């Protein structure tokens, strides 16, 4: 199984992006289409590593707060594109995404992982810097990033 560890802000949205929920940036359709394209080419599954997953954790706990509502909106939007999340990374004390991804990989007991990429605009990915396709908050996910992700998932 191939995995994409997916960040949201700076990947599926970007500075100045029109899609918003109140004051926060939502997700942009062009970027979602590009993600869909990567998934279509690779059959990769999505693991949410973004802070947007906090709403998912809250929902699991039976809470109904703003984060939960926003996460639900995200999930619905993904559904429109035929996309869904396999899982989410755990929250670590360090808050370092690389550590959270490592914890997820070590804890995963499903189908073996053949390859994975990290789509994120941050770079705190140690020890997996080599798996990072780094986007930027100025542009979000771009075609060249998508091409790179497909290439990395194939190897
Ligand atoms: Mg981000």
């Amino acid at each position: 199984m191939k995995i994409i560890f997916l960040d949201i802000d700076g990947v599926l949205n970007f500075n100045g992006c029109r899609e918003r929920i109140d004051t926060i940036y939502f997700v942009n359709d062009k970027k979602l289409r590009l993600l869909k394209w990567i998934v279509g080419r690779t059959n990769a599954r999505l693991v949410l590593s973004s802070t947007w997953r906090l709403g998912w954790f809250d929902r699991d706990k039976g809470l109904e707060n703003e984060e939960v509502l926003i996460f639900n909106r995200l999930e619905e939007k993904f559904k429109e594109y035929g996309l869904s999340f396999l899982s989410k990374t755990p929250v670590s004390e360090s808050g370092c995404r690389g550590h959270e991804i490592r914890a997820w990989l070590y804890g995963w007991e499903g189908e073996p992982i053949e390859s994975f990429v990290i789509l994120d605009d941050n770079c705190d990915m140690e020890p997996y810097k080599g798996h990072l396709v780094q986007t930027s908050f100025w542009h979000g996910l771009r075609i060249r990033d998508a091409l790179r992700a497909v290439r990395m998932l194939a190897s």
Side-chain angles (χ1 to χ4, degrees), residues 6-13 17 19-21 23-28 48-59 65-78 85 88-89 91 97 137:
L6 183 69
D7 180 31
I8 301 293
D9 298 316
V11 178
L12 297 183
N13 62 33
C17 151
E19 295 80 1
R20 298 181 192 213
I21 301 174
T23 55
I24 67 158
Y25 287 121
F26 193 42
V27 288
N28 173 266
L48 189 62
S49 54
S50 160
T51 51
W52 285 64
R53 75 197 191 287
L54 299 180
W56 189 354
F57 279 108
D58 281 354
R59 190 175 76 184
N65 55 29
E66 183 113 3
E67 279 72 33
V68 172
L69 293 177
I70 288 173
F71 174 72
N72 287 342
R73 292 271 299 268
L74 181 73
E75 208 176 41
E76 277 164 32
K77 187 75 189 176
F78 269 58
F85 297 112
K88 54 190 177 304
T89 57
V91 176
R97 259 181 213 178
F137 188 55

Side-chain angles (χ1 to χ4, degrees), residues 39 44-47 56 75 78-79 81-87:
V39 168
R45 303 297 308 272
L46 303 175
V47 175
W56 189 354
E75 208 176 41
F78 269 58
K79 242 185 235 165
Y81 282 83
L83 296 168
S84 61
F85 297 112
L86 169 72
S87 179

Side-chain angles (χ1 to χ4, degrees), residues 128-145:
Y128 301 121
K129 273 234 160 104
H131 293 262
L132 174 64
V133 174
Q134 191 174 11
T135 59
S136 78
F137 188 55
W138 296 105
H139 302 285
L141 183 66
R142 294 201 274 187
I143 290 170
R144 62 179 188 197
D145 305 317

